[in-house]
Amino acid sequence: MNIAIYPGTFDPVTNGHLHIAERACKLFDQVIIAVANDNYKDNFFSLEERMTMLGESTKHLPNAVVESFSGLLADFAREKQARAIIRGLRAISDFEYEMQMAAMNKHLNQELETIFLMAEGDYAFLSSSMIKQVALIGGCVSDMVPAVVDRFLKEKYQASHQNS
Ligand code: ADP
């Protein structure tokens, strides 16, 4: 079985992430969407919230599973017997960091290939951080994120306004 891992922070998952996951599911028998459980990044949503949103928005993909991982991605890939890491590339600005990470993962696990899928159309301009910035000052992002994410963002927005 050809297994790929699509790792990320997914804070929160956007339609751009989903498009990459859908395309990866056509190329591999199984795609493990791996949510990073790292503490060095100051995430807005908890691991549990990020996994719930991903689980609900990938229900239509029978060969996708959502899991969390901590520690080295190269080790997680080995444990899962994955042959590839999927990453999405939006702009040239993604490129340098992604190249360094691909080289490091290759160094740590020689069996592992990183495969880049280019973001298509407007997805190239979509990022989780932009979504959070806009949603948390009350902007509408419902056509850029899955319905469940829109719901979670609206709840956070309402909660922050009740407290202020
Ligand atoms: P990380 O912190 O690992 O970069 P992200 O959740 O930001 O985690 O992104 C996970 C992957 O999805 C990365 O490869 C990123 O480039 C890609 N990605 C993020 N947003 C988009 C998008 N709009 N279109 C295509 N790929 C995307």
Side-chain angles (χ1 to χ4, degrees):
M1 183 152 85
N2 267 338
I3 300 173
I5 295 185
Y6 178 31
T9 313
F10 304 106
D11 187 36
V13 56
T14 68
N15 288 348
H17 287 126
L18 269 190
H19 194 236
I20 297 288
E22 284 161 0
R23 289 160 63 195
C25 281
K26 290 185 189 153
L27 299 173
F28 289 89
D29 300 317
Q30 186 182 59
V31 175
I32 301 173
I33 303 174
V35 189
N37 181 20
D38 43 35
N39 296 320
Y40 68 89
K41 262 199 169 181
D42 204 5
N43 292 317
F44 181 71
F45 288 103
S46 69
L47 176 68
E48 196 190 8
E49 288 172 321
R50 288 179 281 141
M51 290 187 72
T52 301
M53 289 185 274
L54 264 167
E56 201 161 308
S57 48
T58 55
K59 270 188 195 152
H60 63 296
L61 297 173
N63 56 335
V65 289
V66 178
E67 295 188 20
S68 67
F69 78 101
S70 45
L72 288 176
L73 178 62
D75 291 342
F76 182 69
R78 198 177 282 115
E79 183 194 315
K80 295 290 169 183
Q81 295 182 324
R83 301 171 65 168
I85 292 175
I86 302 291
R87 295 289 287 177
L89 272 188
R90 282 163 294 180
I92 297 175
S93 52
D94 279 345
F95 190 81
E96 186 157 3
Y97 169 71
E98 293 292 342
M99 218 177 142
Q100 283 178 17
M101 205 161 66
M104 182 54 79
N105 280 324
K106 188 78 182 180
H107 171 76
L108 295 169
N109 180 346
Q110 292 290 319
E111 303 302 311
L112 196 57
E113 294 294 343
T114 301
I115 296 177
F116 294 103
L117 298 180
M118 301 299 293
E120 282 181 18
D122 286 348
Y123 295 134
F125 304 101
L126 188 52
S127 68
S128 300
S129 48
M130 192 59 78
I131 288 292
K132 282 177 286 194
Q133 273 181 40
V134 172
L136 297 178
I137 49 173
C140 178
V141 293
S142 57
D143 54 349
M144 294 179 240
V145 294
V148 58
V149 174
D150 195 38
R151 221 166 49 235
F152 270 62
L153 285 166
K154 283 185 173 137
E155 279 168 20
K156 292 269 188 197
Y157 175 74
Q158 276 156 13
S160 73
H161 280 255
Q162 271 158 16
N163 298 334
S164 60

